[in-house]
């Protein structure tokens, strides 16, 4: 396992590097063949945050903790990642009923276990041709962030939407 450590708004001292490598090195006993572990140490005012990302064959384990002390942040993020790994392995073991799986096999089984998003509501409404200004008015009257309409000028289905900056956007199909 290779730990890639970088600091933002702070210098990574040798003592801090040794401590992080020692604590996060414990994770290798849970999963065989851990490759690279990306650790970012951030300091903002009196907050010390540790972000850890571990890519595993199509799956990403991520932990983030923030305290007033960098060492305790490292401890907490390591504990959080241990729990994530245990939860992940328990689910996979229950699902597959075997304890000898590679990381790739566990990742594939985990993907199948996740619930897929599904359509929970279906709406039908008449598309009346209207100019874009009327579509904006209709959208605002309904209190929605978008509105599907038949553009009276182009005779195509368009979507008008409210942008975060308060302006509007128009989506037109391109054939």
């Amino acid at each position: 396992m290779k730990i890639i450590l970088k600091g933002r708004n702070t210098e990574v001292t040798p003592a801090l590097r040794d401590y992080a490598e020692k604590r996060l090195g414990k994770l290798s006993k849970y999963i065989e063949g851990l490759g690279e572990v990306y650790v970012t140490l951030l300091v903002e005012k009196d907050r010390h945050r540790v972000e850890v990302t571990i890519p595993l064959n199509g799956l990403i384990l991520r932990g983030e903790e923030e305290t007033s002390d960098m060492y305790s942040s490292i401890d907490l993020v390591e504990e959080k990642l241990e729990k994530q790994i245990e939860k992940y392995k328990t689910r996979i073991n229950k699902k597959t009923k075997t304890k000898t799986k590679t990381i790739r096999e566990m990742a594939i089984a985990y993907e199948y276990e996740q619930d897929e998003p599904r359509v929970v509501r279906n709406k039908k409404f008449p598309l009346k041709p209207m100019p874009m200004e009327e579509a904006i008015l209709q959208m605002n009257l309904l209190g929605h962030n978008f509105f599907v309409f038949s553009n009276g000028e182009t005779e195509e289905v368009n979507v008008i939407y409210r942008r975060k900056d308060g302006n509007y956007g128009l989506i037109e199909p391109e054939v």
Side-chain angles (χ1 to χ4, degrees):
M1 176 172 85
K2 180 179 177 185
I3 298 177
I4 300 170
L5 202 68
K6 65 180 177 181
R8 259 194 253 156
N9 299 335
T10 187
E11 181 183 337
V12 180
T13 63
L16 199 55
R17 178 178 298 280
D18 290 342
Y19 188 77
E21 288 176 352
K22 177 183 160 200
R23 288 293 292 190
L24 297 173
K26 293 180 180 181
L27 299 176
S28 63
K29 72 180 180 183
Y30 294 104
I31 295 182
E32 301 167 13
L34 272 180
E36 295 179 334
V37 176
Y38 299 95
V39 181
T40 305
L41 308 175
L42 294 102
V43 175
E44 295 172 345
K45 296 183 181 177
D46 62 343
R47 298 175 301 183
H48 298 262
R49 185 169 56 196
V50 177
E51 298 172 355
V52 179
T53 306
I54 305 171
L56 294 173
N57 297 336
L59 182 72
I60 294 178
L61 293 176
R62 181 149 167 47
E64 183 177 314
E65 284 296 332
E66 184 175 306
T67 64
S68 59
D69 176 47
M70 190 63 76
Y71 290 95
S72 59
S73 294
I74 292 170
D75 292 343
L76 291 172
V77 80
E78 187 265 335
E79 290 171 10
K80 181 184 268 188
L81 288 168
E82 276 183 11
K83 288 178 186 173
Q84 281 183 14
I85 292 169
E86 283 299 318
K87 183 177 176 183
Y88 167 73
K89 287 179 80 172
T90 302
R91 282 184 177 175
I92 299 306
N93 288 337
K94 282 182 182 176
K95 187 78 172 175
T96 59
K97 300 289 184 196
T98 63
K99 304 247 186 235
T100 56
K101 293 284 182 187
T102 65
I103 292 173
R104 178 146 182 80
E105 291 169 327
M106 289 189 316
I108 290 169
Y110 183 76
E111 288 175 7
Y112 284 120
E113 182 178 297
Q114 298 300 312
D115 290 334
E116 298 271 333
R118 54 194 159 100
V119 176
V120 294
R121 187 170 182 198
N122 189 2
K123 250 184 165 175
K124 293 183 180 185
F125 58 94
L127 278 179
K128 143 184 153 180
M130 64 179 75
M132 184 174 49
E133 292 77 21
E134 187 180 339
I136 291 171
L137 179 66
Q138 287 287 323
M139 176 182 69
N140 289 332
L141 286 172
L142 291 170
H144 291 176
N145 292 325
F146 69 93
F147 187 74
V148 179
F149 69 102
S150 175
N151 193 325
E153 297 168 10
T154 62
E155 297 180 3
E156 292 182 333
V157 175
N158 289 177
V159 177
I160 191 86
Y161 63 95
R162 185 177 297 113
R163 297 170 43 95
K164 289 181 183 175
D165 63 5
N167 293 314
Y168 298 100
L170 178 68
I171 300 174
E172 298 178 289
E174 187 176 73
V175 183

